[in-house]
Each structure stands twice: as structure tokens, then as C-alpha cells.
Amino acid sequence: MKNGITRRGFVQATAATAAATALAGPTLRAFAETTTKEEPKAEEGGTWVSSACQGCTSWCAVQVYVEDGRVVKVKGNPNSKANRGFICPRPHLAIQQLYDPDRLKGPMKRTNPKKGRDEDPGFVPISWDEATEAIADKLMELRATGETHKFMFLKGRSTNNSDVFFKALPQIYGSRNCFAHSTICAEAEKLGAGVTEGYWDYRDYDVANTRYFIMWGTDPIASNRQIANISNHFGDMTDNATVAVVDPRLSVTAAKGDEWLPVIPGQDGALASAIAHVILVEGRWNKDFVGDFSDGENRFVAGSKVDEGLFAENRTNGLVKWWNVELFDKTPEWAEPLCGIPAEQIYRVARGFASAAPNATSWMSPGVAMQVRGAYMAMATNALNGLVGSVENVGGPNRAPSVPAGKLPDIRPYQDEIALAGVKQPYFDQRGTFDFPAVAKGKLHDQVITNRIADCLNEGEPYDIKMVISYWNNWVYSCTGAQRWEEALAKLPFFVHITLNPAEMSQFADIVLPARHQMFERWGSVTNKQDLHSYTALEQPVVEPLWDTLTDETEISWLIAEKLADKGFPNVLDYYRECFHDPETDAAPQSGKDLSLFATKIMTKPLWDPASDKKGGDELAGWDDFVEKGIWNSKKQGYREHWDDFGTKTGKYEFYSETLKGILEEHAAGFGKTVDELMKELNYQARGEAAFVPHYEEAYREGDESEYPFVFSEHRSRLNREGRTANTSWYQEFKDVDPGDEPWDDVLKINPVDCEKLGIETGDAVRVTSVQGSIVVHAKAWEGTRPGVVVKCYGQGHWAYGKIATKDYAAKVPRGGNNNEIIPSNFERISSSTTRHGGLARVKIEKVEEA
């Protein structure tokens, strides 16, 4: 470490250094001097204020220590039953985000009409009045020509207030083209659970009572949706349970687990089928949950099919059909050469998992689901829970209690004829074509296809888009096939980007608007689940906002609504004024600041209103009580609540998925096609009955092996606040918390055997090239990946975002490389998920001279 501080001291040092960092000039230091024992403790002069972190998808409740008007440190909210007062490193990094001198400090306008990475936008400061005037002018131009549908709204992360801006404004105006980020996140994961157990959402996990984990492509100490919860529980987990991690790289979780299964990327399905085969052949399935042969004799014999009539199922559907279609010959010996895991280890893990059942969890994640053929891997890994009866059981994967929430007021009375005509136009992302069933919560043609929007913009199909507003996203950086987004945004006639830092996406904008930091400067709320509790955590301004910034979802939308009203279209402003009264005083909002507070109160009223039914959750005494405590917790999730009806088509846990069968047949029939024809179009190998059961599909790669000999695999950083932390010195200084990584660098981790063959040593600059593009990074000889597979962390490679994130900010020279510039754009097409895992990209590696 450059400053002589260990990783262990990271959190302890935060309190002493955050204030110094906040006052630093343009060049930030990782740490200042630590406090001495003689210096007073921070608690002697400040106040703890509740808020919430959105640094990952856990959305933990936190408390922020404020002293002399500055954020000094953060901790987990002790009122939370989900994280129990514990947090990971990410909330600490938010302090540097807040006081980042490279933050956008006021509205900016483009002066160079040419757009592209190599173009200087020529941004100049403007007022909020000038910025919103320009936005309203463009919106009114489209209304005048009856082209309101050619306005598009894009969002990334958001709060429970998002629909105030993201839904209400465009739909009252006249466009249905409001697209969120969800399918670049993990929708294929939801699909895997939806078509097997009828739960179209992310699962929670009873980690305290689990006795065996199989973690598929997930590193929950560092990423995924349970970071604070798992990090806090992990010591007890390793004492009480066996932890088996299926991951191409030696992750933090794998390094601390009992079994590491370094699977060949994308071949997880072979391993899952082999585990299921062993459980059935050895009679280790859960007979109470699944059922048994009528005479008690196990007829699951390797290589032999079984008469379905001999097996009586209890709470499941199609076990024997699954065996006959897929599992009967899928032995560990068959799987070993395909997935790269020794047969002996497959047997051991299968037996250990089944022996611990039902207190066992097969943890399916985006790592196995977000692949071109990922739906069936998601099904296969999730089906192991059904096989051992752990679904919704003690120590297994569980659903979550519902959270009472306020509703967006009805917008229909505020839509005029122009708006109603606009919202009837087809969705711009072309969902529902034959090659995109776009399934959301079991419904066809209802899923956003986020990463396809770039292709639609480039092709001008189904029509040309003339104006875009976008907030809390950076898809030029965060979407695979990133170069497509550069091309697409360069073509847009008018683009508005609302952002904390001037990001890659901002470089293509005509207007850039500065947002407030969600954790420290704004009102909002977020809802999630951990540790068998659902919760809503409140975000609130804990310090006065820095610079000339506004809250994206409320204050900016109010200003745009006012300008539209000035130009003869008052509908949006009328909606805000008439529908967002303070639920305590009934006062109508007079400003965007009022709208921000009142919307937050409306959306959370069922939680804090003493008269509301809390459904067994926390009893809050009112709004002030909610503000002070910062969180509402549900009751604890009960076990086995859906065993009598899972919500699938059969009501059972479906190994043979009648639910999926109905979806695929309906979609195919709508085009006069068969399911087999559909499977071919969707790039799946399954034909016939295999399309309806969990099964092995060969990993899909892009790039010929002879030219691109290495499989590329990526992972997430423990310090990455969703790709937004690279401009903080703490992120760069402590980058080696991610196994194999180096501080202030971006490395490609290569097995030493491959390094020797290539004549490459640690520290050499290398060009990594795929069919999509090239990046230049440093090589790192590392035993934590298998020969033939190279691994790189996502999060570096910014060519914008700030002076720390980049090597040369003015010249747009990145620090390392962006993975999305070498991972091609492709999809798991049933769910519309963008695919980034499973070794989609093959790459070649060449040693180059240091730039």
C-alpha cells in the first residue's frame, strides 16, 4: 500500500480521514494522518442521521455521522433487521463521491455540434432556467408535429420516487418509451425461479440455518444482493455449513469456502445436471417434498429411463420426465470433461448437499443466468433446491414478505388526445418480435430490452428518436458492445444527461444536468430484502447540497413541468400540484423541493401512518418517527408458505415446466411457428421436450478458438459502487481487496502456465482483443484462474468520469480498459437479459509497449 495502511484499517481510518478528504483540493489523497488517542472522538460533536446506501443492489439502511455540516463517516443502521447494523466498504466510499471535486457543479450546454469520443463537447455553464427552457422547447416541438412518441426516457438506478419523473412526465406528455436498466442487470435469474417455482423475483436466503451452500457464479461477500448480510454471517456460515463455490476464478468467497469448483465458463449446466443425477441415482432426493416410487424401490439407474406411472409426486411436477429427457445419462464422468470439475468432486458435493437437506441452498445468480443460453442454467441450478426440498424451507432459498407502499396517482385524467395517440405507438425497443419473447413476471412481450436500444437507434427502427432524457445511468460504459452506444448517442439530435459526475454518456449530451447524491443530499426511499426481512429504507438530506444541484426525480421534473406550462402545456404541472399534496397537512406543492418531500411521504405513507395495516411489520408512530429510525422492517418471512400452490401453471414446483411450455408455445404460435423453430431462433440447442426442463446447453462463445484462444471471464469489485467509484482514491488504493488485483492498476489475470507460453510476465502491458474490440491493460500471473481462461474485474477503463478514474482526463486516456468494449452485445432472449458471463467472448492476448 502506498500510504502504509492495511486493508484491515480501511473502515477504522474512514472517520478520521473523510473530513480531510472533503476539504482537499483537486488532487485527492487516499488517506490523511490517522487520529491519535489524545484527539477527541467524532461522536463528541456531531449527529447521526439515517439514510440508505445504493452502492449495490442490497440498498442497506445506514446512518451518517454529520459534524459541522460535513459527512464524517457512516455505519449500518442498528434499527435494520436485514443488515443488523452492519455494512460493507461501499457506503464509506460514498463520502469521497460526495466530496469529489470532479462532480458536476451546475448545468452545462454543448457548443460543439459534432459528437463522438474524440470530440470536445465544448461545454459551457448555463442556468437552470436556460437548461429547462431548452428542454421544454424541444418537447413542445415534438408535440406540435404529433411525434411525442419520438421522445425517449432512460433511467438506471432509481428510488421509489422514480415514477414521478420516469413514468408520469413522459406518459402525460405522450410517450410510452420509458426504459429502465433491468435487463442489463439480472432478469434471466428471475426467469429461472419463475418457471420452476412461480416466483418472478430475486430470492432471499436463510443463511443462519443453512448447512450446505452451493454458490453458482456468485461472490456474496463482494457482490450480488446480500453483501452486508453475508459478510456479517460468514464466520458462522463457515463454522456451521459447507460452502462450495462454483466460479471460474478464485473469488473472495471461494478463498474462504470449503470447496472451490473452477468451472469452465458457461458449462455450469453440465455440473448441475450431474449433481442432480447423483442425488437421484443414490436415492438422496427429498421424498416428503418430491415424492417416491409407489413400491419404494429406486428405479433411477444410470443409463435407464423410467416409467412415469411408477412414481407418485407430492409437491412437484415432472421429476421422472426431467430424468428421462435430461438426467438419465448425465453422470459426473460425463460432466467432467465438459465442465472441468473432477467427477470425484462432483460426487462429493452432490452427496454433501443432499445430506444437509433440506437445510441447503443452491444459490443461483447472474453468473450462471446472464449467458446466451442462461435460462436453462438458471432453471438447472434452481431445480436442485426443489430436488432436496429446500425451497421455502429452513436454511433454504426463500421468498420475501411484501412491503406496503404508496401508489403513483392516476395519470389518465391528465393525458390529452396527443398524449393518448403517442402512448399507443409501438415500443421503441421492439419487444415481442419472434427473436425476443421479452418475458416479465410470466407475461409475454412485457420486458424491456435495454441493450437493444442502441441497435434500434443505429438502425432507425422502428422509427427515429429525436429527443432523449436519461438519468442515473452511463450505458456508454456499462452496456456490453459499448461502442454501439457511442455510435447511437452521436446520432441523437437532442440528448439530456442527468448525472453526478460527467460520465462517458455525458460526453454525447447537449444538456448535462447535475444530480444530488442519493445518500446524502436528497429525499427518497428504497425497498429490498435480506435475512428473511423485507424493508424500506429512507433517504434524506443529511447535509446541505453541494453546488448548484437538484434532485433528478422530483426537483428537475418540476422545473421541466413549469416550463411546459409556460409554453401552453400545463398538464404535468397540474398533475404534480393536484396529486402530490402533503399527506400530513394536505398542503399542495409550490416547488420542486415540496414535490420531493411530499412524494417521498406519499410513497411511504402505508409504513409510517399509524392507521395503516403494517402486515406484522414495524409499528411507526408517524413520519417523524420514520425519519428518525430511517427504516421500516417487515415481519420475518415464514417457511413453506407456498407449498400448497407455488403459483406455477400446475401449482407445483415444476421440474417439467408447464409454465415455460405455455409461454413458449403461445409466443411461437403467434408467429405461426413451432417451439423447435423458436428455440433455433433464440440460439438454444434444445428441441422437443428438452425445451421445458432444466438441461445442459453448450456454452456459447463469440470468436474462433484458433484466432482467439482464451476464454474471457469478468467479475465485480468489492469496492465498486455500481461502476461509479473509480474516481475515488480509496477505490484505487485498496483495489487489491479483489483477489489478484493491484492498487492503482487494471490487470488481466492469466494462469502462470499461459503466461509462460505467451512469454508474458506480471506487469507487462498487453492488448486484449475480441471480435468486439480491444483494450490495453497489465498482465498479472495468477493461479486463481484455470489455464485457457483469463479473468478481469469490471470497473476500470473510464475515459471520462474524473481525474482519478482516468489516466489523463483531458486527453480521455483511460486507466486500464472497459470490459464492455471487448464483450460483444448478445442476449438471453427469453428474458431479454444482456449476456456478460459464461465466457461469451474469446480473446487473444498480445504483449505491447507501455503507452
Side-chain angles (χ1 to χ4, degrees):
M1 305 302 255
K2 287 183 171 61
N3 296 335
I5 298 175
T6 66
R7 291 190 299 276
R8 193 180 299 270
F10 181 25
V11 176
Q12 290 91 330
T14 304
T17 62
T21 303
L23 294 169
T27 302
L28 297 177
R29 295 178 58 194
F31 285 96
E33 293 294 325
T34 57
T35 56
T36 65
K37 292 182 179 178
E38 288 73 26
E39 291 177 301
K41 294 181 179 179
E43 283 85 348
E44 292 180 4
T47 305
W48 288 103
V49 185
S50 295
S51 191
C53 176
Q54 286 188 260
C56 74
T57 49
S58 298
W59 301 345
C60 287
V62 300
Q63 289 187 336
V64 181
Y65 195 75
V66 180
E67 189 171 19
D68 295 329
R70 288 188 173 270
V71 173
V72 175
K73 63 180 178 180
V74 293
K75 67 179 181 179
N77 189 330
N79 298 312
S80 172
K81 296 177 182 178
N83 66 19
R84 300 171 308 286
F86 295 91
I87 51 173
C88 76
R90 288 178 177 86
H92 303 284
L93 290 160
I95 300 172
Q96 281 201 325
Q97 284 185 309
L98 173 66
Y99 294 115
D100 183 352
D102 291 330
R103 273 184 64 181
L104 189 63
K105 299 175 178 66
M108 305 290 282
K109 178 177 73 174
R110 184 183 203 91
T111 59
N112 179 7
K114 295 182 179 180
K115 296 181 180 181
R117 185 189 290 211
D118 297 327
E119 295 289 340
D120 181 355
F123 286 129
V124 296
I126 57 174
S127 67
W128 279 101
D129 186 72
E130 185 179 351
T132 52
E133 181 83 13
I135 292 168
D137 280 342
K138 293 296 181 181
L139 288 169
M140 293 303 292
E141 286 176 16
L142 293 181
R143 281 189 65 83
T145 58
E147 297 178 297
T148 57
H149 62 288
K150 294 186 177 182
F151 164 56
M152 184 165 64
F153 205 137
L154 308 175
K155 74 167 182 175
R157 192 55 67 204
S158 59
T159 76
N160 292 334
N161 287 345
S162 66
D163 282 350
V164 175
F165 194 19
F166 177 69
K167 182 178 179 181
L169 187 147
Q171 291 196 18
I172 293 173
Y173 167 78
S175 177
R176 71 192 307 188
N177 288 321
C178 317
F179 302 123
H181 77 290
S182 62
T183 54
I184 66 170
C185 191
E187 292 302 309
E189 179 184 351
K190 295 179 182 177
L191 179 77
V195 299
T196 52
E197 60 180 283
Y199 185 50
W200 298 85
D201 203 345
Y202 305 114
R203 288 143 310 289
D204 200 355
Y205 303 94
D206 187 16
V207 296
N209 295 306
T210 302
R211 296 299 172 258
Y212 205 108
F213 283 98
I214 305 179
M215 295 182 173
W216 299 88
T218 185
D219 183 16
I221 295 178
S223 63
N224 211 283
R225 302 175 185 279
Q226 297 277 322
I227 302 168
N229 181 33
I230 298 300
S231 297
N232 178 235
H233 274 300
F234 206 82
D236 291 335
M237 285 166 53
T238 52
D239 287 342
N240 300 326
T242 299
V243 178
V245 179
V246 183
D247 199 314
R249 71 179 178 107
L250 186 66
S251 65
V252 176
T253 308
K256 296 177 179 296
D258 301 284
E259 298 267 7
W260 177 37
L261 296 87
V263 68
I264 297 172
Q267 295 292 88
D268 312 74
L271 177 58
S273 287
I275 290 173
H277 176 96
V278 172
I279 291 172
L280 290 174
V281 167
E282 296 188 358
R284 297 174 181 269
W285 72 89
N286 187 310
K287 296 175 177 59
D288 289 336
F289 183 75
V290 178
D292 199 1
F293 288 97
S294 301
D295 60 4
E297 179 183 347
N298 184 8
R299 288 177 172 79
F300 294 125
V301 178
S304 297
K305 296 187 178 182
V306 174
D307 182 347
E308 293 181 39
L310 299 177
F311 195 94
E313 288 187 87
N314 288 341
R315 302 182 185 275
T316 64
N317 178 72
L319 175 69
V320 177
K321 195 180 292 287
W322 180 29
W323 168 267
N324 289 340
V325 171
E326 166 67 6
L327 300 178
F328 73 97
D329 59 352
K330 299 302 189 292
T331 64
E333 289 77 14
W334 161 84
E336 180 175 335
L338 295 173
C339 67
I341 305 302
E344 178 185 356
Q345 190 176 24
I346 298 174
Y347 279 111
R348 183 170 66 247
V349 170
R351 290 164 180 163
F353 178 72
S355 295
N359 313 124
T361 292
S362 175
W363 187 322
M364 174 260 292
S365 77
V368 294
M370 291 185 70
Q371 305 182 23
V372 171
R373 294 167 176 160
Y376 292 104
M377 277 178 280
M379 289 175 68
T381 53
N382 198 55
L384 296 178
N385 294 308
L387 200 57
V388 301
S390 64
V391 60
E392 290 194 48
N393 212 337
V394 178
N398 277 266
R399 302 193 184 191
S402 61
V403 176
K407 295 181 179 179
L408 186 74
D410 185 15
I411 64 174
R412 176 59 187 88
Y414 297 87
Q415 291 177 298
D416 61 13
E417 291 183 3
I418 295 175
L420 291 174
V423 298
K424 290 178 181 177
Q425 296 295 318
Y427 283 110
F428 183 71
D429 62 351
Q430 300 186 54
R431 66 189 69 178
T433 55
F434 186 56
D435 58 336
F436 277 99
V439 178
K441 296 185 177 179
K443 184 179 178 181
L444 277 167
H445 314 160
D446 201 39
Q447 184 63 269
V448 61
I449 316 176
T450 308
N451 207 12
R452 196 186 197 189
I453 293 169
D455 301 318
C456 296
L457 287 169
N458 286 323
E459 296 162 6
E461 294 292 343
Y463 41 77
D464 57 316
I465 290 291
K466 295 185 176 180
M467 179 180 178
V468 172
I469 295 178
S470 177
Y471 81 100
W472 210 339
N473 59 352
N474 187 19
W475 293 345
V476 169
Y477 176 83
S478 61
C479 282
T480 58
Q483 298 91 334
R484 301 169 309 112
W485 280 95
E486 294 186 31
E487 179 186 353
L489 294 183
K491 294 178 178 180
L492 275 178
F494 192 76
F495 175 44
V496 179
H497 194 217
I498 305 169
T499 183
L500 194 71
N501 277 56
E504 282 77 11
M505 212 159 173
S506 311
Q507 307 305 308
F508 298 86
D510 298 275
I511 301 286
V512 186
L513 301 178
R516 290 181 174 169
H517 196 287
Q518 61 81 209
M519 190 167 155
F520 304 115
E521 299 178 309
R522 56 175 289 167
W523 287 107
S525 66
V526 290
T527 300
N528 215 323
K529 70 197 77 158
Q530 288 186 78
D531 209 27
L532 301 189
H533 289 277
S534 295
Y535 55 92
T536 291
L538 183 69
E539 299 172 352
Q540 61 177 306
V542 301
V543 293
E544 287 297 315
L546 297 177
W547 302 301
D548 191 14
T549 63
L550 291 174
T551 303
D552 40 33
E553 294 169 340
T554 48
E555 292 177 291
I556 293 177
S557 57
W558 179 276
L559 290 183
I560 295 172
E562 283 187 322
K563 287 295 182 183
L564 289 173
D566 290 344
K567 297 177 185 301
F569 181 64
N571 301 40
V572 181
L573 186 61
D574 288 346
Y575 174 71
Y576 291 156
R577 284 175 169 166
E578 294 169 9
C579 299
F580 286 87
H581 288 203
D582 186 330
E584 288 188 295
T585 67
D586 198 37
Q590 302 300 314
S591 65
K593 185 176 181 180
D594 288 344
L595 179 64
S596 188
L597 175 60
F598 297 173
T600 304
K601 293 171 80 169
I602 290 168
M603 294 302 176
T604 59
K605 182 183 176 183
L607 307 178
W608 54 262
D609 184 353
S612 298
D613 179 7
K614 307 300 193 305
K615 297 183 179 180
D618 289 351
E619 290 292 338
L620 297 174
W623 169 253
D624 291 342
D625 194 26
F626 186 38
V627 170
E628 180 181 354
K629 291 177 179 173
I631 190 170
W632 177 89
N633 300 281
S634 74
K635 65 178 181 180
K636 189 173 183 179
Q637 172 65 31
Y639 301 118
R640 301 176 289 277
E641 289 188 357
H642 299 89
W643 277 26
D644 291 331
D645 185 358
F646 279 99
T648 57
K649 192 169 184 179
T650 64
K652 307 284 189 178
Y653 190 100
E654 295 185 344
F655 297 121
Y656 181 89
S657 181
E658 294 286 355
T659 301
L660 179 60
K661 183 178 182 179
I663 289 169
L664 297 179
E665 287 182 340
E666 179 184 349
H667 182 70
F671 292 88
K673 303 285 187 178
T674 66
V675 172
D676 280 356
E677 289 173 311
L678 177 61
M679 287 289 99
K680 181 179 180 180
E681 183 70 22
L682 302 186
N683 218 339
Y684 276 108
Q685 296 172 315
R687 299 294 183 269
E689 297 280 64
F692 315 128
V693 299
H695 66 271
Y696 165 67
E697 296 250 352
E698 181 183 358
Y700 183 87
R701 316 263 191 235
E702 294 203 22
D704 187 84
E705 187 174 1
S706 62
E707 184 178 359
Y708 304 98
F710 295 95
V711 176
F712 180 79
S713 182
E714 75 159 9
H715 65 96
R716 296 294 182 262
S717 171
R718 193 174 186 182
L719 304 182
N720 194 340
R721 287 180 58 83
E722 298 205 321
R724 301 180 177 95
T725 329
N727 205 51
T728 66
S729 57
W730 291 346
Y731 172 86
Q732 300 291 349
E733 184 72 23
F734 294 99
K735 192 67 186 65
D736 57 349
V737 299
D738 300 310
D741 281 4
E742 295 291 332
W744 295 92
D745 203 355
D746 191 21
V747 299
L748 183 73
K749 290 162 276 196
I750 310 170
N751 190 280
V753 171
D754 291 327
C755 283
E756 186 174 353
K757 290 178 181 177
L758 293 167
I760 289 173
E761 297 181 355
T762 294
D764 287 344
V766 293
R767 177 175 289 109
V768 188
T769 304
S770 72
V771 296
Q772 176 65 36
S774 296
I775 58 175
V776 175
V777 295
H778 289 122
K780 173 71 177 289
W782 191 56
E783 298 87 348
T785 184
R786 52 185 311 132
V789 178
V790 295
V791 179
K792 184 177 168 299
C793 190
Y794 168 80
Q796 298 278 41
H798 282 282
W799 53 269
Y801 220 72
K803 290 183 286 294
I804 292 176
T806 55
K807 210 169 188 178
D808 186 329
Y809 190 25
K812 301 179 182 177
V813 177
R815 185 185 299 280
N818 178 9
N819 296 358
N820 290 321
E821 293 183 16
I822 59 174
I823 301 176
S825 171
N826 211 320
F827 301 88
E828 193 294 305
R829 289 174 180 264
I830 302 175
S831 67
S832 303
S833 286
T834 288
T835 53
R836 59 176 72 252
H837 299 301
L840 171 62
R842 285 192 169 276
V843 297
K844 60 183 176 182
I845 303 166
E846 304 164 287
K847 186 176 177 179
V848 296
E849 292 296 322
E850 185 76 60

